[in-house]
Amino acid sequence: MLLAIDVGNTNTVFSIWDGSHFLATWRASTEHQRTADQYYVWLSTLMEIQKIDADITEVIVSATVPRVVFNLRVLADRYFNTRPLVVGKPDCALPVDVRVDAGTNVGPDRLVNTVAGYDRHGGDLIIVDFGTATTFDVVDVDGAYVGGVIAPGVNLSLQALHEAAAALPHVDVTMPATVVGTNTVACMQSGVFWGYVGLVREICTRIRAERDRPMKIVATGGLAPLFEQGASLFDVYQDDLTMHGLTVINAFNRGRK
C-alpha cells in the first residue's frame, strides 16, 4: 500500500491508498522539529484506533517546507523499509511537462495538482488552490504546467489585517449576510469574502482571455466550498485533488522501473 504525504506550510496530510481508494486521511500541523519516531507513533496510533491494517510498502512526499523532508525520509526508511519518492527531486519523474522560464522552481504542490487535474479532466484547466497562498495553476491542452498566479491566502490576509491594525479583531472567514457591514466584524468579513470572490473571478477571466480558449476551473483547498456560495466561480471542486495527484505520480514512477 502507498502512504501519500502532502506537506503544506500550515498542515501536513497523510493518506493511505490501497490501489483503488483512500483507506484513511489524517491532518497534522506542519512542524519541522517533529522526528520520524514521533510521526510513526502518531500514525500507528491513528491506524490502530481506526482498525486499519495496512502494509505500507511505498511512500511519496510533496513538501513546500523542505526542512520537513529529511525526517519523512527517515520515517519511510526506518519504519516502512522503503525509499520515498519526493516530488521535485531528480529521481521523481512527472507524467507531464513543465514549461516555465529556465531556472524557475515550481512548488511541488502545484505540479501535483497539475498532474491530478489533467488525469481527471484533461487539459485546458485553471486549478485554484485555497491554501496558505491562493494559487492559480494553468494546465495546457497536453497536460503541461505552463505557469500561474500566486496571491495571499485568505487566512494569511486576515492575519495580516489583524496584526497591522491594532483596532481590528481577528475574525473567521464566512459569507456575510449583506455586503455592507454595520459593525467591524461584518465589515471585515464582507471585505475578505467578496474581495476574494472578485479576485478569483477576475484572475480566471483574464487567464481565459489571455489563453483565448475555453478553460475548466477546478478548485481545491478547504475554503473553496465557502467561496462557491457567493457565485459560480468553479466548474468542479475536489478536496482530494492533491492526494490523487500523488497516487498518479507514484504509479508513473513505479511503472518506469
Side-chain angles (χ1 to χ4, degrees):
M1 293 187 187
L2 170 68
L3 175 62
I5 307 173
D6 174 36
V7 182
N9 289 293
T10 305
N11 293 313
T12 300
V13 182
F14 297 77
S15 290
I16 297 177
W17 173 255
D18 70 355
S20 60
H21 66 284
F22 290 108
L23 298 179
T25 296
W26 303 290
R27 285 171 171 79
S29 59
T30 298
E31 297 178 7
H32 71 271
Q33 305 96 329
R34 187 172 286 131
T35 67
D37 299 331
Q38 289 173 316
Y39 279 122
Y40 182 72
V41 169
W42 179 77
L43 274 172
S44 58
T45 300
L46 288 171
M47 290 171 66
E48 182 178 351
I49 290 173
Q50 295 187 224
K51 296 181 170 56
I52 296 175
D53 184 16
D55 181 18
I56 295 171
T57 57
E58 300 174 351
V59 177
I60 185 169
V61 179
S62 169
T64 58
V65 185
R67 289 185 296 175
V68 175
V69 174
F70 174 78
N71 284 321
L72 292 175
R73 285 185 181 274
V74 175
L75 169 71
D77 178 65
R78 180 179 298 168
Y79 292 104
F80 305 123
N81 194 31
T82 185
R83 177 185 175 87
L85 282 171
V86 179
V87 179
K89 299 299 182 182
D91 62 342
C92 183
L94 297 176
V96 299
D97 290 334
V98 180
R99 295 198 285 266
V100 294
D101 294 343
T104 300
N105 291 320
V106 181
D109 54 330
R110 307 180 75 180
L111 298 176
V112 173
N113 284 346
T114 296
V115 170
Y118 183 64
D119 182 69
R120 283 182 167 173
H121 306 287
D124 285 330
L125 305 177
I126 303 170
I127 300 176
V128 186
D129 188 351
F130 289 84
T132 303
T134 301
T135 59
F136 301 75
D137 298 316
V138 180
V139 183
D140 210 344
V141 64
D142 62 349
Y145 175 86
V146 293
V149 176
I150 301 175
V154 179
N155 287 316
L156 190 62
S157 296
L158 277 171
Q159 180 181 341
L161 191 61
H162 168 61
E163 292 179 354
L168 297 180
H170 179 77
V171 300
D172 294 328
V173 185
T174 187
M175 180 178 177
T178 59
V179 175
V180 178
T182 55
N183 57 70
T184 301
V185 170
C187 289
M188 293 175 66
Q189 289 175 334
S190 183
V192 170
F193 182 85
W194 292 112
Y196 269 86
V197 168
L199 179 146
V200 172
R201 179 186 288 115
E202 182 66 14
I203 288 178
C204 288
T205 296
R206 289 183 174 272
I207 290 173
R208 281 172 162 166
E210 190 170 277
R211 302 286 293 172
D212 193 24
R213 67 186 70 178
M215 302 189 76
K216 178 179 285 188
I217 302 175
V218 181
T220 191
L223 289 176
L226 171 65
F227 286 95
E228 183 66 359
Q229 296 178 48
S232 298
L233 295 176
F234 320 121
D235 294 302
V236 62
Y237 164 71
Q238 294 175 330
D239 64 347
D240 66 341
L241 190 71
T242 304
M243 305 314 289
H244 175 71
L246 287 174
T247 69
V248 175
I249 294 172
N250 182 73
F252 178 75
N253 281 267
R254 304 302 181 187
R256 296 171 69 246
K257 295 182 178 180

